[in-house]
Amino acid sequence: MGCTASVPSNEEDDPFLQDKHINDQIEQSLRMTKGNDRNEFKLFLLGTGESGKSTVLKQMKLLHKGGFTSQERVQYAQVIWCDLIQSMKILLVQSSRLGIALDSDTEGSPLAPFKQAVLNANALQLVNMGAAGSSDYLSDYVIKYGERNRAKSRLNETGAPDNAFLKEGSNEQDSTETVVNEELMEIYPMSEQKQIYTRHEVAEAVSKLWSLDSGIKKCFEKSHEFQLESSASYYFDNCMKFADPNYKCSDLDILKGRIKTSGITETDFMVNLFKFKILDAGGQRSERKKWIHCFENITAIMFVLAVSEYDQTLFEDERVNRMHESIVLFNALCNSKWFINTPFILFLNKIDIFEQKIARSPLKKYFPDYDGKPNDVEDALKFFETNFLKLNKTNKPIYVHRTCATDTKSMKFVLSAVTDLIVQRNLKNSGIL
Ligand SMILES: Nc1nc2c(ncn2[C@@H]2O[C@H](COP(=O)(O)OP(=O)(O)O)[C@@H](O)[C@H]2O)c(=O)[nH]1
Ligand SMILES: [Mg+2]
């Protein structure tokens, strides 16, 4: 199979040889670039929404740009704060929809006041009550909860997923009303005077519901049936630290936090004196029509596939399985005339979630032609890897890596292998190696 993560040899451990290697590369690069800009490698991160593209980019920043600024750390803390309240509200809505009884709903339950605190919490208001970050910045991201495509009312607009690539999106960004809050109001109409809770009280309420309400846990286990942030459990486990309005995120918090990408961002990195430009794009359907403007002069595509999402449906269209959408997208990109000779690097991402999920959510239920051992991580991964590689009708290579994009240690290794590979391939193609 195409998994080509390089293993350090004894030679590569020798600092002298490493220096020599770098010197050789500089000289080769100078020879290569006389009069042109061929030493800039342009990598495009592509894949469906929430697959992990921006997280891969964040890891590149940690590796090659000295990490995150203090401002980013404060801003992410506020975004996660809003996300953790909204995620708990989503669990409250969905438990009612799925008919899961909550302990906090039973008469006289000591958990009832905690549920009330979450129902009353207004994340933005709480940010304004003392956060160091600007709420203008935040409101852009909180609005994303209003962007939820009301799948049922839009079923007729989106059509079958067979031409998902570059097709017009379903304009899921038109609506800005906060759907979750509306739904909560329907389930729990609040006649009594709204009590104002502090950030600390709200965080405590989330923490208590998460750790003590068995209905919330049951509902979370069914979260593949609805839309919940990938990192919701991380937010809940750590919610007390986000109660501090001046908390600055750790690297891991930022990797776990999610800000939906809109448009295409370009970030430059210097890696061993080679210039890499990484393009990161929004992955949802409405974003894909922007991609084509950047398809020229791409050195390699990094396609990010969330393997854990085989039992989930799209945020933008709840009729469509996320893995099916990725298959359609990969097929279209891989065989597109733009990328006939462009190497692909396929990240089988969210492997950590996949490993946990495969034990309780049978793959065969979603992919009936899977005939590997049930609940077997290796068989299941091979199944997807083989099926994706089979889609390639061109002669270009596809390099596969199994990744957990939030894990800095393993990503350091994978990303070094990827940048090495790109440099080596290009030196070879130029006849230098
Ligand atoms: N557990 C886990 N979470 C991940 C992984 N990769 C990404 N995520 C999380 O998934 C969410 C979406 O990731 P993001 O990079 O924004 O996806 P994008 O829409 O493709 O850019 C974020 O909350 C990430 O922290 C992974 O390998 N494991
Ligand atoms: Mg993104």
Side-chain angles (χ1 to χ4, degrees):
M1 215 56 66
C3 194
T4 55
S6 52
V7 178
S9 67
N10 288 340
E11 266 197 6
E12 281 166 341
D13 289 339
D14 182 324
F16 174 75
L17 280 173
Q18 272 177 4
D19 281 348
K20 181 178 178 306
H21 187 56
I22 291 169
N23 264 346
D24 289 350
Q25 285 190 338
I26 299 167
E27 278 175 23
Q28 282 159 353
S29 126
L30 288 173
R31 275 161 53 206
M32 259 172 83
T33 56
K34 268 192 186 149
N36 65 31
D37 198 21
R38 286 187 61 195
N39 67 334
E40 177 180 286
F41 302 123
K42 226 170 161 183
L43 309 186
F44 205 165
L45 275 163
L46 293 175
T48 55
E50 292 180 71
S51 55
K53 300 177 293 299
S54 301
T55 313
V56 171
L57 182 69
K58 286 178 198 169
Q59 294 285 11
M60 279 297 280
K61 284 188 183 165
L62 278 174
L63 261 178
H64 299 291
K65 272 220 178 299
F68 306 109
T69 64
S70 176
Q71 196 193 9
E72 282 174 305
R73 292 181 194 281
V74 172
Q75 288 172 337
Y76 261 95
Q78 304 314 326
V79 171
I80 293 177
W81 171 248
C82 291
D83 278 353
L84 79 85
I85 294 172
Q86 291 292 347
S87 298
M88 186 51 77
K89 286 184 175 182
I90 287 170
L91 290 182
L92 292 174
V93 168
Q94 293 297 335
S95 54
S96 159
R97 281 223 178 120
L98 297 169
I100 298 170
L102 294 178
D103 299 339
S104 47
D105 277 338
T106 52
E107 188 85 20
S109 164
L111 294 175
F114 297 124
K115 194 189 74 195
Q116 200 56 47
V118 172
L119 290 176
N120 282 13
N122 176 330
L124 264 184
Q125 214 172 51
L126 286 164
V127 165
N128 287 333
M129 278 164 60
S134 146
S135 64
D136 288 351
Y137 169 84
L138 244 190
S139 49
D140 287 350
Y141 301 107
V142 174
I143 278 172
K144 72 185 176 185
Y145 289 101
E147 293 168 8
R148 273 285 291 114
N149 179 17
R150 290 177 173 233
K152 284 190 193 107
S153 63
R154 297 191 178 180
L155 287 183
N156 298 327
E157 288 178 35
T158 46
D162 51 48
N163 62 341
F165 172 54
L166 296 185
K167 83 193 225 174
E168 288 291 317
S170 51
N171 280 337
E172 72 266 28
Q173 293 181 335
D174 290 352
S175 153
T176 52
E177 80 262 42
T178 309
V179 177
V180 177
N181 279 339
E182 270 180 17
E183 286 168 326
L184 273 175
M185 288 293 281
E186 280 168 25
I187 301 165
Y188 299 104
M190 280 172 280
S191 49
E192 66 217 74
Q193 185 84 34
K194 267 203 166 190
Q195 192 180 334
I196 304 287
Y197 294 88
T198 63
R199 278 177 73 120
H200 187 273
E201 284 166 338
V202 172
E204 194 188 9
V206 170
S207 176
K208 290 277 195 259
L209 289 178
W210 176 238
S211 55
L212 300 176
D213 194 320
S214 62
I216 290 290
K217 274 275 157 60
K218 262 185 223 147
C219 184
F220 178 77
E221 276 161 27
K222 286 186 172 287
S223 61
H224 62 281
E225 293 180 23
F226 51 91
Q227 307 296 334
L228 186 72
E229 293 269 313
S230 299
S231 299
S233 64
Y234 179 84
Y235 305 155
F236 300 149
D237 286 341
N238 293 278
C239 69
M240 291 317 293
K241 67 184 183 186
F242 295 106
D244 173 359
N246 296 314
Y247 175 70
K248 287 189 179 164
C249 279
S250 65
D251 290 347
L252 183 60
D253 296 335
I254 292 188
L255 291 164
K256 292 283 188 181
R258 172 151 205 260
I259 292 177
K260 192 175 136 195
T261 314
S262 183
I264 295 170
T265 66
E266 289 188 5
T267 315
D268 293 328
F269 300 93
M270 288 305 294
V271 183
N272 286 347
L273 299 160
F274 289 94
K275 190 172 166 196
F276 281 78
K277 190 182 278 302
I278 300 201
L279 283 73
D280 179 27
Q284 282 160 344
R285 287 182 175 181
S286 57
E287 293 287 329
R288 291 182 207 155
K289 55 185 180 285
K290 302 172 191 166
W291 293 358
I292 200 158
H293 302 296
C294 302
F295 278 179
E296 257 166 347
N297 302 322
I298 296 295
T299 315
I301 300 288
M302 293 196 279
F303 190 94
V304 185
L305 166 73
V307 276
S308 61
E309 295 183 346
Y310 64 87
D311 63 352
Q312 288 172 241
T313 59
L314 291 184
F315 174 91
E316 60 268 44
D317 184 348
E318 292 190 332
R319 291 169 307 162
V320 180
N321 174 287
R322 290 190 182 208
M323 182 61 82
H324 286 149
E325 179 86 344
S326 282
I327 291 169
V328 170
L329 186 58
F330 184 84
N331 187 27
L333 286 168
C334 182
N335 299 308
S336 145
K337 69 177 171 55
W338 292 94
F339 303 125
I340 297 287
N341 297 310
T342 312
F344 270 50
I345 295 142
L346 172 62
F347 291 125
L348 302 182
N349 192 39
K350 301 201 180 182
I351 214 98
D352 54 327
I353 304 177
F354 181 79
E355 283 171 358
Q356 289 171 10
K357 196 180 255 190
I358 201 82
R360 56 183 155 84
S361 179
L363 182 51
K364 205 168 172 63
K365 181 172 166 196
Y366 302 91
F367 288 83
D369 51 340
Y370 171 68
D371 56 8
K373 292 193 278 303
N375 316 120
D376 188 275
V377 173
E378 189 55 36
D379 277 7
L381 281 174
K382 273 270 178 296
F383 172 75
F384 287 124
E385 192 171 326
T386 309
N387 279 310
F388 269 77
L389 292 177
K390 260 198 246 163
L391 295 172
N392 181 14
K393 302 287 181 284
T394 72
N395 291 323
K396 63 167 162 273
I398 296 178
Y399 304 94
V400 185
H401 292 277
R402 297 173 179 188
T403 55
C404 170
T406 48
D407 178 21
T408 300
K409 207 167 151 205
S410 66
M411 285 308 286
K412 185 175 175 182
F413 183 69
V414 169
L415 290 172
S416 302
V418 167
T419 49
D420 275 2
L421 175 96
I422 303 292
V423 171
Q424 298 299 324
R425 262 187 68 90
N426 279 273
L427 292 178
K428 257 188 206 137
N429 289 348
S430 321
I432 292 165
L433 281 185

